[in-house]
Amino acid sequence: MSILANKDTYVVIQGGVAGVNAARRMAEFCYLIKRSLNVLAFVYPPDAGKTHEIPYGSGLVAVPIYKTVAEATKHHPQINTSLVYIGADRAMKGGMEALDDTHIKVVSMITEGVPEKDAKILGAHARKLGKVFNGPSSIGIVSAGSCRLGVIGGAFDNLVLSKLYREGSFGVITKSGGLSNEIIWICSQFADGITTAIGIGGDAYPGTDYVSYLEMFENDPQTKAVIIVGEMGGDLEERAAEWYGAKKRRVKLMAVVSGFCQESLPKGMKFGHAGAKEGLKGEGSARSKSDALKKSGAIVPATFGALGPAIKDVYQDMLKSGQVKEPVEPASLPKLPKSIEAAMKADEVVVTPLIRTTISDDRGDEPCYDGYPASELINKGYEIPHVVGLLWDKRLISKQEAEIIKRIMMLSADHGPCVSGALGTIIAACAGIGLSQSVAAGLIMIGPRFGGAVTDAGRFFKHAVDNKMTVDEFLTYMKKNHGPVPGIGHRVKSLRNPDKRVKELVGYVKSLPIKTPCLDFALQVEQVTAAKKDNLILNVDGTMAAVLVDIGFPVDSLNGFFILSRTIGLIGHWVDQKRQDSRLIRLFDYLVNYAAPKRREVPPLK
Amino acid sequence: MAKVLEGPGMGLMKKWGINVPNYVVVTSVDELTKLGQANEWLKKSKLVAKAHEALGSRFKLGLVKVDLDFKAAEAATKEMIGRQVGSITVTQVIVSEMIAHKEEYYCAVKSTREGSEILVANCGGIEVESNWERVKRLCLEIGQAPSAEALEKLSKEAGFAGPLTKKMAEFAGKMFACFDSEDAQYLEVNPVVTRASDGELVALDAVTLLDGDAKFRHPDWNFAFAAEFGRAYSKQEEEVMAVDSKIKGSVKFIEIPGGDTAMLPAGGGASVYYSDAVVARGGKLANYAEYSGDPPDWAVEVLTEKVCSLPGIKNIIVGGAIANFTDVVKTFGGIINGFRKAKAEGKLKGVKIWVRRGGPREKEGLDAMRALKDEGFDISVFDRNTPLTDIVDKALQAK
């Protein structure tokens, strides 16, 4: 047996994240005692209609979320208990809603910082209805072997260590949430464990006091002794003493009270929970409480540390008198399935990774590019081209190579609004589309006819150089298999009107002491093609391609240089249109050659 | 529990129709001089000047001056502002009208488990203390307001007679209205006096304790709460409070000058048992502290730094029960960072650290603490098998 919470307790949790965490902990307990999950519903209006997936063993239980307590109990009439995790400013409303529901008999409020007035109103309302309002600031309630409400009991291994999977003989009532586990643990080490442990919360006016629970324990034959963990402030301990001393009780009462330190502290200094405050006349001090309890016949150890041995003595007496028998431990207990991470750490599973990466890792305190921490690269004078080198080609490029890349990027950042890419972005910007989509609209244009010739040009020049082709062999090969040479030819520029950017780049690269077989070959090709037709010059794509291949970048990454640098321009165009608050644009009719059939009559449908 | 100084306390009473003397709260003499030009009563009435700070026994400290004219009030203000009393600097002075009166009475409303209690006595001032049996009470359930009849009955019981009976009953009714509407926990007026000029009851002094947790529904609470120890909060305490107000969970820190045993325990309940254990063993607490509710590691780190900076400490008690959901690895991570920082700043010389804890991921957390030995910390680490407060015994027995 137990009190308040048992095998027939079914729960609705009111509140958000904290409530879901509690449900997970409760599921662990249910799994340990081989009981199905006792959380049947959540009430959280913002997420009404959805479900929370609560892990149970190695599976998941979908627990529905409702808008109101009434809806939850209508769908799950076996619900009889509510746990309130709603914020302090709305907790009273939520608590009232639960108390007023005919299905619900017990409400435990976990919320901290609830105004005293609200707690009093809730407590009075519950008493009027003959229901239990536990808390606020309750850590929860746990009945060994049958039911856990809230996170009381801690992690799964603690549930097992504290033998919460089966009943003992001790009842526990604490104000402190943190100490509830401590006492449960002590009871399992010095005696046979607990029946039910209740956190009533450390507020000044908790909804339920020690006495109401002492009455319940008195009527639970399984509970042979009750331990109260009290603290200074209020008069709950005195009332418990009064109850215990009033007549012969079946249960033994044991208690400790904290707050003796107050006697030697500066006056008015207040510690601990909200309720831990002395009355103005010194009532409610630790000493007066512990004296009252002693006088009533309760066992009151001098310190918290002496509680364990005192519990042991009480338990040994019970064993001797035959009141209790040594508990029988189960042969085996369910083990909580490990998370993948924990199992991997323990070398228990092999996982086949879904993806493999060889360039970067941000699992530490900062991203590493090919193993080099980003902040170190910054502090040692490296620049953007080096990052490109690390992420695209997994190597630290030289200062010279970085300079070449920087110049390439600066030269191809933007080519005005008329080219396909910029036009695409501008049209999107004028249509009110966001930055990333508009830039993407421009980037989509990059391909075989616009800007995308870099990769192809690089591939063919490299092919020619690798195969030691002559220019004539190369041109024949291209004509036969692929058509025009990518990287050769320009719509506007020609021999007489050379492309300044190409001259710049070629000039700079040739001034460096590096080998440039591809560039040299491309320039030879240009001599032949430009002689045939004035505008078949080596264009900027071809130049970039040849140079990048010469400094060792893989052919497949070459278009990336254009995409990367042109993105700068596309962003610029989007911002530019945005700044001007440009209107939606429509193509003018006169720019269209309407070659569709003239208007005609639609024939009858056959 | 939040203490409110006299000025804002009087303001709340005025809001609920209770007569209070005219008063102003000033931070400088110039302010008072300006107010004197704007408010005739300052020039006309006899005045009282009091230091407007959370200080006990202001009278003895010479921080209450009575029977002043405006010039004398200015002089008193000048003298009080900037005065150091212990750790408190007087920054505000409340100057109020002195009410001529003969009789003094007492009225208070206090919180009880069932609701509240109205207390009335027909004596006041220090006389109440020695005649506590003359205080009569009216108990009210939560949600219940006192009827006019019940208040009159209380007034009669307390020995009021004639027209004063009704006046005191009404005064007590207003006190209740103020108490109930303002989420007060304690409201005391001592003395209540009869104003010689018009025979009305006036509140001469207010003790106001409000429920800080109810601040969310009182947008007009525009005053700061005062410390309750008869001293101001230190800079370190305020910094921890600022962190506390920003986080999930809590961190708390109160300094106790002159102690040598520093506290860094987890849990509002366990922390007091740890403090008790220190006192019971004849140790001297250097502070109170606690962290709970799974606070972020950085918050615990701030708390740790404050604890390590306490002067003259010999031991640090990093105690804790078996946590329900506070992650031991994470919170210990904050403590370890704080320790390392303190050590790098040359603190913790000769300081012994004592650790005991259980809870989620306890083994990893305790292992991380143990590893501090290799960094030269004098640290002893115990798990759940060592009873809660035994580390205090070990610390105070260690030589």
Side-chain angles (χ1 to χ4, degrees):
Chain A
M1 283 289 287
S2 56
I3 70 168
L4 270 177
N6 54 40
K7 280 256 193 287
D8 304 320
T9 300
Y10 289 96
V11 183
V12 57
I13 293 181
Q14 297 173 259
V17 180
V20 179
N21 284 333
R24 287 165 173 258
R25 291 281 195 208
M26 288 160 77
E28 287 180 4
F29 184 80
C30 290
Y31 176 76
L32 173 67
I33 62 166
K34 304 186 175 98
R35 166 187 182 176
S36 63
L37 179 61
N38 60 350
V39 179
L40 302 186
F42 289 94
V43 171
Y44 192 60
D47 290 342
K50 299 180 188 163
T51 56
H52 284 306
E53 307 292 311
I54 307 298
Y56 178 95
S58 58
L60 289 171
V61 182
V63 180
I65 309 166
Y66 298 97
K67 201 172 169 156
T68 62
V69 173
E71 265 176 58
T73 55
K74 194 181 111 199
H75 286 92
H76 311 274
Q78 62 278 56
I79 289 176
N80 52 17
T81 301
S82 170
L83 295 182
V84 183
Y85 283 88
I86 305 170
D89 53 347
R90 304 180 315 282
M92 181 165 89
K93 198 165 157 285
M96 282 300 206
E97 188 188 344
L99 284 171
D100 285 332
D101 189 288
T102 49
H103 297 81
I104 288 174
K105 304 289 177 273
V106 176
V107 176
S108 188
M109 186 172 277
I110 317 298
T111 314
E112 297 191 16
V114 175
E116 285 179 12
K117 189 175 165 182
D118 299 8
K120 286 182 197 176
I121 291 170
L122 285 160
H125 193 61
R127 282 191 290 279
K128 195 178 87 193
L129 297 170
K131 298 183 176 186
V132 173
F133 175 73
N134 185 64
S137 307
S138 164
I139 190 69
I141 298 164
V142 61
S143 291
S146 66
C147 182
R148 174 191 204 173
L149 302 174
V151 299
I152 184 170
F156 187 84
D157 52 0
N158 188 61
L159 301 177
V160 175
L161 286 171
S162 301
K163 307 196 172 70
L164 283 167
Y165 47 81
R166 56 130 184 94
E167 286 205 304
S169 311
F170 289 77
V172 174
I173 318 170
T174 73
K175 285 181 179 175
S176 158
L179 289 171
S180 57
N181 269 1
E182 193 69 29
I183 296 289
I184 293 169
W185 158 251
I186 290 173
C187 287
S188 72
Q189 298 307 295
F190 290 90
D192 62 353
I194 65 150
T195 51
T196 300
I198 302 156
I200 63 172
D203 288 11
Y205 302 104
T208 319
D209 58 2
Y210 294 127
V211 174
S212 26
Y213 295 135
L214 283 167
E215 287 281 0
M216 293 183 199
F217 278 129
E218 178 77 1
N219 296 323
D220 172 37
Q222 178 68 34
T223 305
K224 308 294 188 288
V226 180
I227 301 153
I228 286 179
V229 182
E231 55 187 37
M232 58 163 305
D235 63 353
L236 298 194
E237 290 80 2
E238 287 85 342
R239 289 180 190 222
E242 215 173 291
W243 175 87
Y244 194 63
K247 64 181 208 202
K248 180 96 186 74
R249 302 291 180 182
R250 187 189 59 80
V251 291
K252 260 205 162 13
L253 182 61
M254 309 179 73
V256 278
V257 184
S258 71
F260 286 92
C261 59
Q262 303 282 15
E263 294 174 0
S264 50
L265 287 175
K267 202 171 154 343
M269 208 167 253
K270 174 187 125 9
F271 288 173
H273 298 126
K277 55 193 179 206
E278 255 180 80
L280 293 158
K281 299 271 166 285
E283 67 262 23
S285 71
R287 193 164 298 277
S288 72
K289 285 174 186 296
S290 106
D291 287 349
L293 284 157
K294 272 185 206 155
K295 232 167 70 195
S296 74
I299 299 167
V300 186
T303 61
F304 192 91
L307 192 58
I311 289 171
K312 189 175 179 174
D313 291 346
V314 169
Y315 179 62
Q316 292 300 334
D317 286 349
M318 291 179 190
L319 280 174
K320 274 197 202 93
S321 67
Q323 230 189 324
V324 299
K325 290 192 177 60
E326 288 279 12
V328 184
E329 300 295 348
S332 75
L333 287 165
K335 281 203 165 54
L336 193 68
K338 284 199 173 102
S339 69
I340 289 280
E341 290 94 330
M344 282 171 81
K345 218 172 162 177
D347 282 340
E348 290 169 6
V349 291
V350 178
V351 176
T352 313
L354 190 61
I355 60 167
R356 178 169 181 266
T357 181
T358 66
I359 58 168
S360 63
D361 186 343
D362 75 332
R363 288 171 302 172
D365 51 359
E366 63 167 317
C368 289
Y369 305 144
D370 199 34
Y372 300 112
S375 67
E376 254 185 82
L377 291 167
I378 291 170
N379 294 327
K380 291 185 173 165
Y382 287 88
E383 301 196 20
I384 290 176
H386 293 101
V387 175
V388 172
L390 287 171
L391 294 178
W392 294 8
D393 200 23
K394 293 169 60 55
R395 63 194 174 101
L396 263 182
I397 56 176
S398 69
K399 243 189 175 141
Q400 281 169 341
E401 291 168 331
E403 182 62 28
I404 293 171
I405 291 176
K406 190 177 91 181
R407 289 177 182 225
I408 286 175
M409 286 179 61
M410 288 171 77
L411 288 173
S412 26
D414 196 56
H415 289 180
C418 300
V419 297
S420 310
L423 189 58
T425 294
I426 290 169
I427 291 170
C430 293
I433 305 299
L435 173 62
S436 55
Q437 296 92 321
S438 301
V439 170
L443 289 175
I444 288 171
M445 307 297 166
I446 297 174
R449 297 183 181 174
F450 167 67
V454 188
T455 287
D456 284 348
R459 178 174 298 119
F460 294 126
F461 289 147
K462 188 169 185 304
H463 177 81
V465 172
D466 287 351
N467 292 295
K468 304 201 171 54
M469 289 182 173
T470 62
V471 174
D472 284 347
E473 283 170 351
F474 174 68
L475 288 173
T476 314
Y477 162 81
M478 287 302 291
K479 201 166 180 170
K480 198 173 148 203
N481 299 303
H482 300 284
V485 181
I488 296 283
H490 201 286
R491 295 271 309 259
V492 191
K493 305 283 176 196
S494 63
L495 269 183
R496 268 164 308 187
N497 170 22
D499 189 335
K500 231 178 135 172
R501 295 165 308 164
V502 174
K503 278 188 70 160
E504 261 308 314
L505 203 53
V506 172
Y508 175 71
V509 174
K510 292 309 286 175
S511 76
L512 298 173
I514 54 171
K515 283 207 168 65
T516 55
C518 259
L519 181 60
D520 298 345
F521 183 77
L523 290 166
Q524 285 167 24
V525 171
E526 180 189 37
Q527 279 182 350
V528 176
T529 53
K532 286 178 186 164
K533 200 166 173 232
D534 192 25
N535 67 340
L536 290 181
I537 50 168
L538 178 62
N539 64 29
V540 79
D541 290 359
T543 316
M544 272 168 65
V547 170
L548 289 165
V549 169
D550 280 336
I551 61 174
F553 273 88
V555 165
D556 284 329
S557 73
L558 300 188
N559 261 358
F561 288 92
F562 184 80
I563 293 171
L564 178 63
S565 27
R566 184 52 54 92
T567 300
I568 300 172
L570 297 180
I571 291 172
H573 284 293
W574 184 86
V575 173
D576 183 41
Q577 298 304 320
K578 200 81 190 150
R579 192 171 33 227
Q580 304 170 49
D581 201 12
S582 298
R583 312 267 310 263
L584 179 67
I585 46 178
R586 218 192 109 91
L587 204 54
F588 303 113
D589 291 352
Y590 57 78
L591 289 176
V592 180
N593 172 6
Y594 286 98
K598 289 265 180 301
R599 179 182 174 132
R600 49 192 171 168
E601 199 178 323
V602 181
L605 183 62
K606 286 201 179 79
Chain B
M1 183 74 112
K3 195 182 169 82
V4 176
L5 291 176
E6 209 170 330
M10 292 276 200
L12 287 177
M13 289 198 180
K14 204 163 147 184
K15 180 176 160 190
W16 293 97
I18 296 165
N19 290 319
V20 298
N22 285 314
Y23 67 91
V24 290
V25 177
V26 298
T27 52
S28 69
V29 182
D30 295 350
E31 201 181 344
L32 181 61
T33 310
K34 274 201 191 124
L35 285 164
Q37 288 154 5
N39 293 286
E40 226 171 273
W41 64 265
L42 275 166
K43 291 275 170 54
K44 277 186 161 168
S45 337
K46 282 284 175 219
L47 303 171
V48 181
K50 302 180 203 170
H52 196 238
E53 300 292 344
L55 281 164
S57 47
R58 284 176 297 180
F59 230 108
K60 280 186 198 147
L61 293 163
L63 291 171
V64 178
K65 297 263 196 306
V66 296
D67 208 10
L68 314 166
D69 60 12
F70 187 64
K71 268 235 168 326
E74 283 177 315
T77 303
K78 193 170 177 152
E79 183 198 333
M80 288 182 201
I81 282 186
R83 237 184 85 179
Q84 271 307 112
V85 184
S87 62
I88 292 194
T89 312
V90 178
T91 58
Q92 296 189 330
V93 169
I94 180 166
V95 177
S96 56
E97 159 189 29
M98 215 169 140
I99 305 282
H101 64 274
K102 288 199 187 64
E103 298 296 326
E104 295 192 333
Y105 316 115
Y106 174 89
C107 183
V109 187
K110 69 186 255 215
S111 197
T112 65
R113 187 169 146 66
E114 287 70 26
S116 57
E117 223 175 27
I118 303 178
L119 287 67
V120 169
N122 77 338
C123 55
I126 44 174
E127 220 185 322
V128 174
E129 308 276 328
S130 45
N131 294 292
W132 201 241
E133 75 288 345
R134 285 172 64 183
V135 177
K136 297 300 169 215
R137 296 151 191 263
L138 170 61
C139 293
L140 297 157
E141 299 252 321
I142 189 76
Q144 180 197 3
S147 67
E149 295 76 36
L151 287 166
E152 285 209 32
K153 192 165 155 267
L154 173 70
S155 183
K156 276 204 186 89
E157 275 173 13
F160 288 91
L164 207 53
T165 319
K166 203 171 159 64
K167 277 188 176 155
M168 195 65 205
E170 278 170 6
F171 187 92
K174 287 173 182 169
M175 287 274 288
F176 177 84
C178 176
F179 174 92
D180 192 49
S181 314
E182 295 294 341
D183 273 293
Q185 292 170 325
Y186 187 72
L187 208 55
E188 180 185 82
V189 175
N190 188 19
V192 184
V193 303
T194 313
R195 192 154 49 195
S197 58
D198 59 0
E200 287 302 320
L201 289 177
V202 181
L204 270 207
D205 195 6
V207 177
T208 312
L209 296 176
L210 302 177
D211 184 352
D213 285 333
K215 195 169 175 7
F216 66 82
R217 58 179 168 226
H218 296 281
D220 63 336
W221 286 3
N222 55 356
F223 35 80
F225 295 133
E228 284 166 59
F229 337 136
R231 66 162 174 85
Y233 290 118
S234 71
K235 190 165 151 286
Q236 277 71 18
E237 288 166 349
E238 275 177 349
E239 280 170 20
V240 175
M241 276 192 274
V243 171
D244 185 45
S245 66
K246 281 200 283 267
I247 56 165
K248 152 180 114 67
S250 85
V251 288
K252 301 261 187 294
F253 182 70
I254 300 169
E255 292 173 55
I256 308 170
D260 57 8
T261 307
M263 308 303 282
L264 186 48
S271 59
V272 183
Y273 279 101
Y274 274 106
S275 304
D276 280 358
V278 171
V279 172
R281 286 266 167 247
K284 290 196 70 178
L285 294 167
N287 70 305
Y288 169 78
E290 70 102 0
Y291 64 92
S292 57
D294 203 27
D297 53 357
W298 63 266
V300 185
E301 186 177 329
V302 171
L303 182 65
T304 307
E305 285 170 41
K306 305 292 178 216
V307 170
C308 293
S309 305
L310 290 162
I313 53 173
K314 297 195 183 77
N315 293 295
I316 301 178
I317 307 293
V318 186
I322 298 162
N324 291 291
F325 63 99
T326 296
D327 183 314
V328 179
V329 174
K330 187 181 73 174
T331 46
F332 271 16
I335 293 177
I336 289 166
N337 287 343
F339 281 162
R340 283 183 181 143
K341 223 181 251 181
K343 193 160 187 276
E345 290 165 4
K347 292 168 188 153
L348 298 183
K349 282 203 174 73
V351 175
K352 290 185 162 62
I353 301 167
W354 306 85
V355 182
R356 189 272 184 188
R357 186 70 162 138
R361 301 210 291 161
E362 60 192 55
K363 197 186 162 303
E364 286 166 77
L366 292 164
D367 285 347
M369 278 283 183
R370 252 180 233 112
L372 287 181
K373 272 192 197 146
D374 306 334
E375 296 176 30
F377 286 89
D378 184 346
I379 187 165
S380 313
V381 182
F382 303 88
D383 63 9
R384 59 165 67 215
N385 292 304
T386 300
L388 188 76
T389 52
D390 280 20
I391 53 169
V392 173
D393 304 0
K394 293 177 202 287
L396 298 179
Q397 282 157 4
K399 285 286 161 285

